[in-house]
Amino acid sequence: MTPTLGSVQPVLQGRGLVKTFGRVVALNGADLELYPGEVLAVVGDNGAGKSSLIKCFSGAHTPDSGEMLVNGEPVVFRSTNEARQKGVETVFQTLAVAPALDISENLFLGREVRSKGILGSVFRKLDTKFMREEAARHLKELGIGTVQSITQTVETLSGGQRQAVAVARAAAFGSQVIILDEPTAALGVRESARVLQLIKDLRDRGMPVILISHNMPQVFEVANRIHVQRLGRRAAVVTPQTHTMNDVVAIMTGALTIDESDQALPPVSTSVS
Amino acid sequence: MSQTPTVAVDLAEEFMEPRTPLQRVQGILHRYPYVSPLVVLVVAMVVFTLINPRFLLPGNLSFLTQQTVVIGTLAIAQTLIILTAGIDLSIGAIMVFGQMVMANLAVSVTASNVLPIAGQNPIIAILLGILAAVFAGAINGFLITRFRLPPFIVTLGTLSVFTALTLILFKARTIQGPEIPEALKFLGKTIKIGDFALMYGVILMVAMFAIFAYILRNTAWGRHIYAVGDDPVAAELSGINVNRVIFSVYVVAGFIMGIASWIYIGRVGSASPNADPLINLDTITAVVIGGVSLFGGRGTLIGTFIGAFIIVVVENGLALAGLDQAYRVLAVGILVILAVAVDQWIRKVKS
Ligand SMILES: Nc1ncnc2c1ncn2[C@@H]1O[C@H](COP(=O)(O)OP(=O)(O)O)[C@@H](O)[C@H]1O
Ligand SMILES: [Mg+2]
């Protein structure tokens, strides 16, 4: 069992990413690899640069330097739209939903579907009916929501329900990768369990997922590999099989360091169920 | 594909909970923010009619529509801008600027000692006046999006700039009705329906309300205006080019102001650089009374339409009731504060 790192093409890859905000160095030469079909957990202290790292891949940040590849192809994302066009969908820590718009409008925000024919081409009319049906279908597919609720504005939803909308949006449109930034941080036990189930569903479909989380039991439950972020760079990549939660926390805080050669290798079985 | 909705929760579940009557009212106002101004308008009209039956005479009603036409048209522009969480204090100054461009270009060379290029075809003059307003709106939009300056400050500045420019370029000279070609005054013409005089400008205003209500409701650009005003960061992360939306709103608003310039000449019959200096505040008043949130992202053009009428109806009704100007100003002031208070209350609906 000695697959080299080069044998499997990563879906997402970052090399030496640097991102600074004035004098704050959020990313200091960070690397990342996400392989097909895996759930990669990204853990680290507050301010370790987890959100900054994934925002580079989401198109929300443009790194100062470093290289990003999607399926081996170098990419430069100047906006979230450009990342979305490459099939990278993100559920941001802040959710990025528009509170005054309804669920269906939020699902299609920024990629609205126009009516067919002259109504759409000349009068720019949106196909609201189609979008509502699609939104209802997506929510139902994820086991959340009902058709009647699709015209409810997002601000009338609870935190968990908003989360569900943001996750549904990513799941509906993500074709290559889905990134979730602390999706359960604001949720209760029942709602967290639902999001976790959703991540498993995505994985079972063969969709690669990046999950940022502080919740170690959750991470150890769903992750294939664990990327530990520390001080703006990757400190280690481990697996739930080879390391304990205590090990991971120790790496996060710098109490334990892992040799380059001990880093977790890409998953051997990348077959999609 | 395994779908296991074992932990499924009905999104609507929480909304089946029993609610107090007050919460129900809050919910309705939240969903239809123009309901409260509509109630105010209807109540005001009933009360004013009871006080003085002349209020409902066709002659007075057509006067009301004509009083509303300029402020109503400008309030469309102000609504678009306020929906993006912006504000435009220069709206009246731009309207006057456009109007002076139109009039000065159209008058005959002998009448105008201001512009060497006077005596243009009136249609060209109108188009150039509208273009000037569009350009002025674009300047606002450019300053706001390019330099990230607050709209309040930018338009406070351009209010002075456009006002001064009008005085400098056009020598502070009022162009009297007889000097102005008919085409410029066209929108002031009326169709008589019995004693009711329906002004062309009023028809144009209503049409523009309808068109922009459609755009806000049914096009991606319209929905993006709401998203941008609601939460610009979320909108940007959702793939909307926030700056482009905001800039385009100021440009389109400039276009509407240009149309208002034309309507104004028709309504008043002359073109004065000192026309209606406080109309910028009146448009904001109309928008706020109409239930559009000054914080952006919430409100409808139906609300603004009603809001513009409320201002005119209250002024006119109190005048017919024999109250003097000070009380009318007081009444409108109280309405504004009430409207903002109601808006704040409605916004608390979010759990
Ligand atoms: N938009 C920003 N402007 C300024 N500093 C930022 C911004 N985003 C992140 N930072 C800083 O970068 C560092 C990394 O932040 P972040 O990536 O959010 O960490 P994490 O998600 O791991 O908690 C922090 O010090 C944070 O304050
Ligand atoms: Mg974070």
Side-chain angles (χ1 to χ4, degrees):
Chain A
M1 192 191 105
T2 51
T4 60
L5 278 171
S7 65
V8 186
Q9 173 101 285
V11 189
L12 279 191
Q13 189 167 19
R15 292 194 204 123
L17 295 172
V18 175
K19 179 73 190 172
T20 55
F21 299 99
R23 306 233 299 286
V24 178
V25 182
L27 292 180
N28 187 14
D31 300 322
L32 178 136
E33 283 105 29
L34 174 71
Y35 290 97
E38 74 166 341
V39 173
L40 177 72
V42 174
V43 301
D45 258 342
N46 277 325
K50 305 183 295 294
S51 294
S52 301
L53 178 62
I54 62 100
K55 277 182 169 175
C56 292
F57 291 98
S58 314
H61 286 341
T62 312
D64 304 344
S65 64
E67 201 185 2
M68 296 196 301
L69 303 101
V70 176
N71 290 322
E73 177 200 339
V75 290
V76 178
F77 295 147
R78 280 171 304 258
S79 73
T80 49
N81 253 349
E82 294 185 2
R84 288 162 139 204
Q85 273 154 20
K86 291 276 181 205
V88 182
E89 282 290 327
T90 309
V91 178
F92 292 98
Q93 198 168 356
T94 51
L95 294 190
V97 288
L101 301 188
D102 70 29
I103 295 175
S104 152
E105 289 176 326
N106 264 288
L107 240 70
F108 284 91
L109 192 55
R111 51 190 148 205
E112 290 82 358
V113 180
R114 276 196 242 128
S115 297
K116 294 198 179 62
I118 191 166
L119 267 182
S121 58
V122 177
F123 296 102
R124 307 259 135 189
K125 189 176 185 325
L126 296 178
D127 196 342
T128 310
K129 184 164 166 285
F130 171 79
M131 289 191 285
R132 283 185 183 159
E133 284 166 5
E134 280 293 290
R137 191 173 66 74
H138 285 303
L139 286 181
K140 200 157 154 265
E141 221 171 64
L142 299 172
I144 41 185
T146 59
V147 184
Q148 308 96 284
S149 57
I150 219 75
T151 58
Q152 241 173 285
T153 57
V154 164
E155 67 198 335
T156 61
L157 303 179
S158 72
Q161 292 167 332
R162 285 182 205 204
Q163 190 80 53
V165 172
V167 172
R169 174 166 71 178
F173 292 100
S175 61
Q176 294 294 321
V177 180
I178 292 177
I179 302 173
L180 303 108
D181 192 351
E182 305 207 17
T184 59
L187 301 187
V189 175
R190 194 172 63 137
E191 289 168 323
S192 295
R194 193 165 84 227
V195 170
L196 221 59
Q197 181 60 46
L198 193 87
I199 294 169
K200 290 179 188 162
D201 287 348
L202 290 171
R203 185 190 54 194
D204 293 347
R205 280 192 230 169
M207 176 71 73
V209 174
I210 296 180
L211 168 70
I212 299 183
S213 177
H214 274 125
N215 186 321
M216 283 300 159
Q218 267 180 20
V219 165
F220 273 72
E221 188 184 336
V222 297
N224 297 97
R225 297 187 308 138
I226 303 168
H227 164 133
V228 187
Q229 183 79 4
R230 181 174 145 72
L231 302 176
R233 52 198 313 173
R234 179 170 70 185
V237 185
V238 299
T239 66
Q241 290 75 39
T242 55
H243 291 76
T244 65
M245 294 188 201
N246 283 339
D247 292 340
V248 171
V249 172
I251 301 168
M252 269 167 64
T253 56
L256 177 67
T257 47
I258 300 262
D259 208 316
E260 235 351 271
S261 58
D262 276 352
Q263 304 282 0
L265 296 170
V268 184
S269 160
T270 56
S271 66
V272 169
S273 55
Chain B
M1 281 217 329
S2 78
Q3 248 78 57
T4 44
T6 44
V7 279
V9 173
D10 190 338
L11 275 172
E13 175 175 280
E14 287 184 11
F15 300 90
M16 300 306 171
E17 286 169 14
R19 303 158 80 194
T20 67
L22 200 64
Q23 278 175 326
R24 210 159 294 195
V25 170
Q26 194 180 23
I28 290 171
L29 291 182
H30 183 262
R31 195 134 200 172
Y32 309 102
Y34 53 84
V35 168
S36 38
L38 186 61
V39 170
V40 170
L41 181 63
V42 170
V43 169
M45 291 185 74
V46 169
V47 171
F48 292 140
T49 308
L50 291 177
I51 295 174
N52 187 341
R54 270 175 45 213
F55 179 83
L56 263 196
L57 290 181
N60 193 54
L61 289 182
S62 59
F63 174 73
L64 287 178
T65 61
Q66 293 171 19
Q67 283 295 86
T68 311
V69 69
V70 173
I71 173 182
T73 306
L74 287 177
I76 298 173
Q78 192 69 272
T79 302
L80 297 183
I81 289 169
I82 288 182
L83 280 176
T84 68
I87 197 150
D88 193 344
L89 297 174
S90 69
I91 197 164
I94 293 177
M95 190 262 293
V96 171
F97 182 63
Q99 170 191 325
M100 293 309 284
V101 170
M102 288 178 193
N104 279 285
L105 286 177
V107 292
S108 69
V109 186
T110 46
S112 167
N113 48 14
V114 174
L115 290 184
I117 48 165
Q120 300 292 327
N121 177 324
I123 305 294
I124 303 278
I126 291 167
L127 289 178
L128 287 176
I130 293 173
L131 199 66
V134 168
F135 189 67
I139 290 175
N140 281 338
F142 176 76
L143 292 172
I144 289 162
T145 54
R146 186 73 219 299
F147 302 108
R148 296 176 183 278
L149 299 171
F152 183 90
I153 302 298
V154 167
T155 58
L156 185 65
T158 53
L159 161 64
S160 299
V161 170
F162 296 137
T163 304
L165 212 58
T166 305
L167 296 175
I168 294 166
L169 282 178
F170 308 115
K171 307 274 194 307
R173 177 175 168 276
T174 296
I175 302 200
Q176 301 299 340
E179 298 174 60
I180 299 175
E182 281 309 308
L184 269 70
K185 296 186 282 192
F186 172 74
L187 293 174
K189 291 193 199 320
T190 56
I191 308 168
K192 288 271 188 222
I193 308 167
D195 284 338
F196 188 93
L198 180 59
M199 207 176 91
Y200 289 173
V202 173
I203 300 174
L204 182 57
M205 172 189 75
V206 172
M208 285 182 32
F209 265 104
I211 290 167
F212 280 98
Y214 168 88
I215 289 174
L216 281 181
R217 180 76 241 144
N218 291 305
T219 70
W221 186 67
R223 302 320 289 163
H224 291 177
I225 289 176
Y226 282 92
V228 162
D230 207 14
D231 187 339
V233 177
E236 189 79 50
L237 289 178
S238 300
I240 294 173
N241 189 333
V242 172
N243 271 346
R244 192 188 297 164
V245 171
I246 292 179
F247 179 76
S248 66
V249 163
Y250 281 89
V251 171
V252 170
F255 170 78
I256 300 170
M257 293 171 214
I259 300 283
S261 305
W262 186 22
I263 295 179
Y264 192 100
I265 296 177
R267 166 82 186 106
V268 177
S270 61
S272 161
N274 305 311
D276 251 329
L278 289 182
I279 200 160
N280 55 354
L281 298 184
D282 286 341
T283 61
I284 296 168
T285 305
V287 170
V288 170
I289 290 181
V292 179
S293 173
L294 277 177
F295 302 100
R298 258 149 260 256
T300 61
L301 273 176
I302 306 174
T304 298
F305 186 74
I306 299 168
F309 266 102
I310 288 178
I311 297 179
V312 174
V313 161
V314 167
E315 291 254 344
N316 177 259
L318 292 179
L320 285 180
L323 288 174
D324 72 34
Q325 175 74 16
Y327 288 97
R328 296 180 241 154
V329 175
L330 180 69
V332 171
I334 290 171
L335 280 179
V336 169
I337 293 168
L338 277 179
V340 174
V342 168
D343 176 49
Q344 289 284 30
W345 180 60
I346 295 172
R347 289 170 73 89
K348 293 209 187 82
V349 95
K350 39 178 148 176
S351 41

